[in-house]
Amino acid sequence: MYKKFKDCLLKPSRISNYLDDSKGKTILFFILLLFIYILPSLVSVISVNKMPSTYSNYITESFKNSEKINYELEHINGKTILNKTDVNALPQYVDLGYLSEAGIRILMLFNTEEEFDVNDYNFSKDFANQTVIFLIMDTEGINVTIGIIEESSTNNDKVNLASNTNTYGLFISYEKLGIKDLDFTLASTNATLFKSQLNDAYVDIYNSNKILIYIFLIPVVISAGIISLILQILLVSLIFKMMYRRYELGYKTLCKIVFLAYTPCIIFNLLSIFYSSLLMYFIGEILTVVYISIALKHAFIKKIGINLNNMINKQNNNQGDE
């Protein structure tokens, strides 16, 4: 396995030597390349020490662009609860954005009253006819509800939850999530401190639920890696099949060549992530194209040699029969 990996990484002219490997050896090598391919994603799942800056910046900006949120999470006597920072605070919400791919908007609602109606919030008319995920922060936890917002039939300046919407909810306590302290008022007064608290909350949630996260995300990462790697190999093989028709190599053989020649691409992609170098990524892509071309030529020469040898043996056998 080591020799095969070394040859595929450093000596593309030898790639054709491994085209006749057994299925077992091919699968083992695929598992090795797959592990290297998904390693960054696995590391991001099992080693979390901060919230990705993309998320923290976006959430902070969403809060900054809304009205000042007069609520905070406090960890008191071993229990986390949502409190008002202003005794006169009214129910408030923050628009966390629109997921265009899924066609869903996400709204975070704040309310410490025992009973309240989602329709009590003064939602923007821009939300009309949209499917919305409501993250309702109440005294002891988060209620997750999905619904459709529609324009009010009695007041054109107001939008409500559609009366024909089948909403459903999921309640998660702050203790189960692992959240402790988070002051939402800081988003508009001290964004840096708010981002720090947001990061701490993210890490607390991860540490409190890492087993469930592993059980759910690791199979997803592995499955996505397998599908992505196979699709890349099939697509690249198809392109080279059209470019090198004169070699008359079977598509299955070509897929094996591309698969083995993908070794430098995967290695350099890994290095580009760990060293944040776009140059390494392009080097890996270029090397893969070069390696495939070299391996194809050697496979074609090898095929010609085998055909000539078979012809000679056949001719010798015919002469022997005479």
Side-chain angles (χ1 to χ4, degrees), residues 116-165:
F116 67 94
D117 190 340
V118 172
N119 290 326
D120 291 337
Y121 290 81
N122 187 25
F123 295 124
S124 169
K125 288 190 66 176
D126 295 337
F127 303 160
N129 303 316
Q130 291 186 13
T131 301
V132 179
I133 296 178
F134 297 99
L135 305 178
I136 306 171
M137 309 281 289
D138 68 16
T139 304
E140 298 183 348
I142 302 177
N143 287 283
V144 183
T145 303
I146 299 178
I148 298 175
I149 290 180
E150 64 178 9
E151 291 190 32
S152 173
S153 58
T154 58
N155 186 347
N156 292 332
D157 294 326
K158 188 176 181 180
V159 290
N160 295 322
L161 198 64
S163 58
N164 61 347
T165 298

Side-chain angles (χ1 to χ4, degrees), residues 95-231:
D95 178 14
L96 293 180
Y98 184 75
L99 304 178
S100 56
E101 298 83 0
I104 295 175
R105 183 172 295 278
I106 302 177
L107 300 179
M108 180 174 283
L109 283 57
F110 298 87
N111 199 322
T112 56
E113 303 298 327
E114 290 187 5
E115 295 184 5
F116 67 94
D117 190 340
V118 172
N119 290 326
D120 291 337
Y121 290 81
N122 187 25
F123 295 124
S124 169
K125 288 190 66 176
D126 295 337
F127 303 160
N129 303 316
Q130 291 186 13
T131 301
V132 179
I133 296 178
F134 297 99
L135 305 178
I136 306 171
M137 309 281 289
D138 68 16
T139 304
E140 298 183 348
I142 302 177
N143 287 283
V144 183
T145 303
I146 299 178
I148 298 175
I149 290 180
E150 64 178 9
E151 291 190 32
S152 173
S153 58
T154 58
N155 186 347
N156 292 332
D157 294 326
K158 188 176 181 180
V159 290
N160 295 322
L161 198 64
S163 58
N164 61 347
T165 298
N166 294 319
T167 61
Y168 61 90
L170 170 67
F171 176 78
I172 309 173
S173 68
Y174 298 126
E175 282 72 33
K176 189 169 291 186
L177 280 174
I179 301 177
K180 294 181 180 178
D181 299 298
L182 183 56
D183 187 354
F184 296 100
T185 63
L186 292 173
S188 56
T189 59
N190 191 332
T192 301
L193 184 55
F194 175 73
K195 194 178 295 185
S196 176
Q197 288 194 359
L198 193 64
N199 179 75
D200 292 341
Y202 181 85
V203 174
D204 287 340
I205 292 173
Y206 171 82
N207 289 332
S208 299
N209 301 276
K210 61 172 59 178
I211 301 302
L212 288 175
I213 293 172
Y214 293 167
I215 292 174
F216 174 73
L217 286 184
I218 289 179
V220 171
V221 169
I222 294 174
S223 300
I226 292 173
I227 294 171
S228 175
L229 187 56
I230 289 177
L231 286 178

Side-chain angles (χ1 to χ4, degrees), residues 235-277:
L235 179 60
V236 173
S237 299
L238 183 61
I239 293 172
F240 273 88
K241 177 68 174 175
M242 293 186 292
M243 290 174 59
Y244 289 87
R245 290 179 181 176
R246 65 183 184 278
Y247 286 167
E248 298 182 350
L249 293 173
Y251 184 65
K252 184 177 179 181
T253 300
L254 195 55
C255 285
K256 286 184 178 181
I257 291 173
V258 173
F259 160 56
L260 295 172
Y262 239 65
T263 304
C265 179
I266 291 174
I267 295 298
F268 276 89
N269 283 358
L270 178 66
L271 294 175
S272 71
I273 293 172
F274 282 117
Y275 291 100
S276 300
S277 173

